[in-house]
Amino acid sequence: MTMNNCSETFEYDHVDNGNVVAWLLVTSESLVQVSSQSNLISYFVAYLHSALQYIGVPKDQFPTPVTVCRSFVAIICTLLAYYILLGKRHYKRRERLAEELEAARAQVNYLEDKLHMANAEDLAMESTSVNKKEVRIFMDGAFDMMHYGHMNAFRLGRSLGTHLIVGVNSDESITECKGAPLMKDQERLTMVQACKFVDEVVPGCPYIMNQKYLDYVIEKYDVDYVIHGDDPCIVDGKDVYAAAKQSGKFQSIPRTEGVSTTDIVGRMLLMTKEHHYCQESASTDSSGSIQLLGRQSKFLTTSRLLRLFSAGAKAPTKEMRVIYIDGAWDMFHCGHVAILKAAKERGDYLIVGIHGDAVVNQMRGSNLPLMNLHERVLSVLGCQYVDDVLIDAPYEITRDMVASLNVAEVVHGSRSDNVGDTRIEGKRYQYPKEIGIFNVIASPSEFNLGNIVSRLQKNQATFQTKFERKMKAERNFYDKKYHSSNSS
């Protein structure tokens, strides 16, 4: 009984499949017959006959409307079959080419690093020659909303010599050349002065370095080389560093990819007046997950870069008084620098705890943090007042944590980026308070994240225009850089 049922089922399926094929053939032929009688096909066939007659094809070889329609159906079926059978192969080939492109980009970065290190070795040999000549490096820039990309540029510039001098463009010259900066003169100077890779700061530098100013800088500060990133710096069609290049004093360093002031401004522009940083509401993706602004970062943090930023870090000795301060340190700014300096003055060794993205978002809501954990770690590591950082620090400071880090005092500033945050009195500092090592210290600066956001929102249309223009320029730079290297 079972065998008969199976046989009957097979015969039924076989007949059914045969009927489907027959139906497809009949339907396609019916479509051909109907289409061949349409006005569109008639016009097309008439035009085709005229063309064939013009080139001398005998009339008995002219295609009929039915033949033309069958040809169209055959072409369409062929293309469909090609797409179904071979389309995925081309998709895989495109994926493979994309992977090869990424590998090529990584190779370009590696070769640029090697070239930079070779230049650094050459300059280092100069500094360690018989006369022990100091190699003095000069860099300049606006450093508006200074970030870890700027700090990495300082690190690279410093590695080419023994003394790094950084010129900070004045508000007036920046405004004249590319519009008003977001941060004021003293705020930008404070950030540059606090960077551990910088030895000396020159305020009030002009945005465009002419020959007269270049000669002045070289003579006054005994400069050996003027350094800038490998991206072009053009204002009104003129290369800002043309004078330095002509004098043979110019050296370039690879730009820190994946981060720029433009990128950070773009994240902040997503925060409108209705969606500002201290709100609890936040935009979500299709799955309902919060879209943190820090996750928009394209920067790739490697262990090598973390080591380079941590260079020179030493463990505290038993005799040292260890100070601990924690926080988000989002959009690292001059207010942060001021409180870190004040905290360091209370002891010999400063450890800075940096909360993870999830903790920061829970504390501040909205789509914060603006910068992800790795970006915030690099920003804090670049500050000269910081001896070490605790990455993804726990929100609650425990007995074990105090003992492990040998903390003598836990401090917190009187002002915070968390407007109206009362959780300072909760479990966060409960244990340090119980043992009498917790203190709130007066924040030397009133500047906080809210100041940056409000300034941006006040001139949102202007910054939106600048952002779009700069993003286009950055895309063109990287397209030219990688496409030219791949084609060669």
Side-chain angles (χ1 to χ4, degrees):
M1 185 67 176
T2 304
M3 289 297 293
N4 289 340
N5 286 342
C6 290
S7 177
E8 288 173 5
T9 301
F10 173 77
E11 289 176 3
Y12 176 78
D13 290 341
H14 179 70
V15 171
D16 189 54
N17 291 336
N19 288 340
V20 170
V21 174
W23 178 83
L24 287 172
L25 290 172
V26 171
T27 302
S28 61
E29 184 61 24
S30 300
L31 179 63
V32 167
Q33 295 297 332
V34 172
S35 300
S36 64
Q37 298 173 15
S38 68
N39 291 333
L40 181 62
I41 294 297
S42 299
Y43 290 143
F44 177 78
V45 171
Y47 178 80
L48 182 61
H49 285 179
S50 299
L52 293 174
Q53 186 176 2
Y54 178 77
I55 61 176
V57 177
K59 288 186 176 180
D60 59 346
Q61 295 184 17
F62 285 4
T64 64
V66 173
T67 306
V68 170
C69 287
R70 283 175 180 159
S71 300
F72 281 146
V73 170
I75 291 170
I76 292 170
C77 290
T78 302
L79 291 174
L80 285 173
Y82 179 83
Y83 177 77
I84 293 169
L85 296 174
L86 301 176
K88 289 185 178 179
R89 183 181 300 176
H90 289 294
Y91 178 75
K92 290 179 180 178
R93 183 169 178 269
R94 284 195 297 271
E95 281 189 331
R96 187 173 67 253
L97 289 173
E99 290 173 358
E100 291 175 358
L101 177 62
E102 286 300 316
R105 287 180 175 176
Q107 182 68 8
V108 168
N109 288 336
Y110 171 73
L111 293 174
E112 283 182 341
D113 246 5
K114 290 197 71 173
L115 179 61
H116 171 71
M117 292 305 296
N119 288 336
E121 289 173 4
D122 290 342
L123 294 175
M125 286 180 66
E126 289 184 25
S127 64
T128 55
S129 59
V130 178
N131 58 7
K132 301 288 183 181
K133 181 182 182 299
E134 183 181 53
V135 178
R136 296 171 67 84
I137 305 297
F138 180 81
M139 298 178 68
D140 76 316
F143 310 115
D144 198 16
M145 284 200 300
M146 194 174 116
H147 49 73
Y148 60 93
H150 294 134
M151 293 178 178
N152 193 45
F154 295 153
R155 181 190 65 79
L156 289 169
R158 182 70 168 72
S159 70
L160 292 173
T162 58
H163 189 87
L164 177 62
I165 305 158
V166 177
V168 180
N169 303 145
S170 66
D171 285 350
E172 184 181 355
S173 67
I174 298 171
T175 302
E176 183 180 346
C177 294
K178 64 174 190 177
L182 195 65
M183 310 297 284
K184 299 174 184 177
D185 266 337
Q186 189 54 52
E187 293 163 353
R188 292 182 290 111
L189 280 168
T190 298
M191 292 301 295
V192 176
Q193 289 167 340
C195 181
K196 68 180 182 181
F197 304 114
V198 177
D199 298 297
E200 191 174 348
V201 177
V202 180
C205 289
Y207 190 79
I208 298 180
M209 185 183 296
N210 55 33
Q211 187 65 52
K212 182 179 179 181
Y213 186 77
L214 177 65
D215 292 340
Y216 162 77
V217 166
I218 290 173
E219 182 179 353
K220 180 169 183 177
Y221 297 99
D222 193 21
V223 172
D224 294 290
Y225 294 99
V226 176
I227 306 293
H228 187 66
D230 56 4
D231 52 317
C233 192
I234 307 297
V235 176
D236 296 331
K238 298 178 182 179
D239 186 348
V240 172
Y241 294 95
K245 292 174 181 177
Q246 290 169 5
S247 65
K249 293 277 188 179
F250 184 81
Q251 290 278 347
S252 67
I253 54 175
R255 180 174 178 170
T256 304
E257 296 188 11
V259 61
S260 66
T261 302
T262 306
D263 165 55
I264 294 169
V265 168
R267 301 185 208 179
M268 296 184 71
L269 283 170
L270 296 176
M271 305 169 74
T272 64
K273 290 182 179 179
E274 292 77 26
H275 181 188
H276 54 83
Y277 81 105
C278 61
Q279 283 186 324
E280 293 299 324
S281 60
S283 58
T284 58
D285 59 19
S286 57
S287 65
S289 300
I290 294 176
Q291 288 285 331
L292 301 184
L293 293 170
R295 290 180 185 168
Q296 295 190 14
S297 172
K298 297 179 178 63
F299 182 72
L300 303 176
T301 308
T302 63
S303 59
R304 176 177 174 273
L305 189 59
L306 285 170
R307 287 197 304 273
L308 290 169
F309 266 63
S310 304
K314 297 178 181 178
T317 62
K318 291 183 178 179
E319 297 78 22
M320 286 184 172
R321 177 176 169 81
V322 177
I323 308 297
Y324 179 80
I325 184 171
D326 63 355
W329 315 105
D330 198 12
M331 279 297 301
F332 195 68
H333 52 69
C334 55
H336 292 143
V337 168
I339 193 64
L340 290 177
K341 182 179 180 181
K344 178 62 183 288
E345 290 172 350
R346 299 177 71 87
D348 308 303
Y349 195 93
L350 178 63
I351 300 176
V352 180
I354 305 173
H355 295 144
D357 295 343
V359 173
V360 177
N361 182 255
Q362 186 178 11
M363 292 169 63
R364 300 188 176 178
S366 188
N367 294 66
L368 295 173
L370 276 160
M371 306 184 84
N372 66 39
L373 176 61
H374 292 151
E375 295 176 306
R376 292 181 285 118
V377 165
L378 289 173
S379 299
V380 175
L381 276 174
C383 180
Q384 64 169 302
Y385 306 115
V386 177
D387 295 294
D388 203 355
V389 299
L390 180 59
I391 301 173
D392 199 9
Y395 182 74
E396 183 181 344
I397 299 174
T398 63
R399 179 193 304 270
D400 292 342
M401 180 177 159
V402 170
S404 176
L405 298 176
N406 194 29
V407 175
E409 184 181 16
V410 176
V411 298
H412 189 278
S414 58
R415 292 183 62 85
S416 170
D417 284 339
N418 292 350
V419 176
D421 182 16
T422 58
R423 277 169 285 191
I424 184 174
E425 301 299 333
K427 290 185 177 181
R428 181 175 178 182
Y429 298 113
Q430 183 175 330
Y431 178 70
K433 287 179 180 179
E434 288 175 357
I435 62 173
I437 65 169
F438 176 77
N439 285 298
V440 175
I441 59 177
S443 297
S445 171
E446 295 185 356
F447 193 93
N448 61 25
L449 180 57
N451 297 120
I452 303 175
V453 175
S454 62
R455 289 180 191 178
L456 191 71
Q457 290 171 345
K458 194 176 294 183
N459 301 284
Q460 187 158 350
T462 302
F463 282 104
Q464 181 71 44
T465 303
K466 287 174 66 176
F467 164 72
E468 291 171 358
R469 184 176 69 249
K470 291 285 288 180
M471 280 299 294
K472 182 179 180 182
E474 287 186 12
R475 282 194 297 267
N476 290 340
F477 168 71
Y478 286 119
D479 286 344
K480 183 179 179 181
K481 178 178 179 179
Y482 288 122
H483 289 174
S484 61
S485 64
N486 288 335
S487 60
S488 61

